[in-house]
Amino acid sequence: MPYTYDDQNIFAKILRGEIPNKTVMETEHTLAFEDIRPQAPVHVLVIPKGPYVTYDHFAQEASDAEIVDFTRTVGAVCAKMGVSAAEAAGCRFISNAGDHGVQEVPHLHIHILGGRPLGRMLARD
Ligand code: AMP
């Protein structure tokens, strides 16, 4: 079944300039901005400008140029925010997808979280 993109989601509105954001970095194909409800001292969201719902959607259907730009921007944001594991204490990358992933906003985003120890990846039941 094909992915269905809802262009009324909040990140689509950010990309159209309909609602404000705190931009960390912008490139031809990618936008990085601060999460409105930060869960760590550094909490940045990186999104492609194209209409992709999840990371797997992006990985399957985005152009090489979009994928390279997005991936390089993730790296550049880590360096800019001082959370690179090479030069600082590191961070966590999260991309929630669909119902089981508990994805709130149906536009691909990678959370970059850092600035404090983050505990285990998943809470144990
Ligand atoms: P997820 O559960 O992975 O879909 O996460 C969605 C994230 O988007 C949450 O961490 C929200 O705090 C964040 N968020 C929702 N609305 C905005 C907004 N207008 N600006 C920045 N971040 C937002």
Side-chain angles (χ1 to χ4, degrees):
M1 208 164 91
Y3 294 94
T4 304
Y5 183 78
D6 169 14
D7 68 5
Q8 294 306 306
N9 78 75
I10 199 139
F11 295 169
K13 291 179 180 177
I14 285 176
L15 286 167
R16 290 195 295 267
E18 293 168 10
I19 61 171
N21 74 93
K22 290 188 179 169
T23 298
V24 171
M25 194 173 290
E26 182 168 9
T27 67
E28 182 181 1
H29 295 296
T30 309
L31 179 68
F33 54 97
E34 292 180 12
D35 195 292
I36 205 167
R37 294 190 297 271
Q39 295 183 46
V42 173
H43 190 170
V44 176
L45 302 173
V46 186
I47 69 172
K49 292 182 176 176
Y52 303 103
V53 183
T54 59
Y55 190 80
D56 53 302
H57 184 199
F58 183 71
Q60 288 173 32
E61 296 188 11
S63 68
D64 290 0
E66 289 174 303
I67 290 170
V68 168
D69 185 281
F70 183 77
T71 304
R72 295 287 189 210
T73 302
V74 169
V77 168
C78 287
K80 181 172 181 177
M81 302 307 287
V83 297
S84 161
E87 293 149 29
C91 62
R92 179 167 295 149
F93 307 102
I94 298 174
S95 191
N96 298 316
D99 289 344
H100 282 191
V102 195
Q103 181 178 11
E104 180 187 328
V105 180
H107 181 114
L108 165 60
H109 48 285
I110 299 233
H111 299 254
I112 301 176
L113 295 144
R116 67 168 172 81
L118 295 161
R120 285 192 171 277
M121 185 171 73
L122 296 174
R124 294 181 188 278
D125 294 327

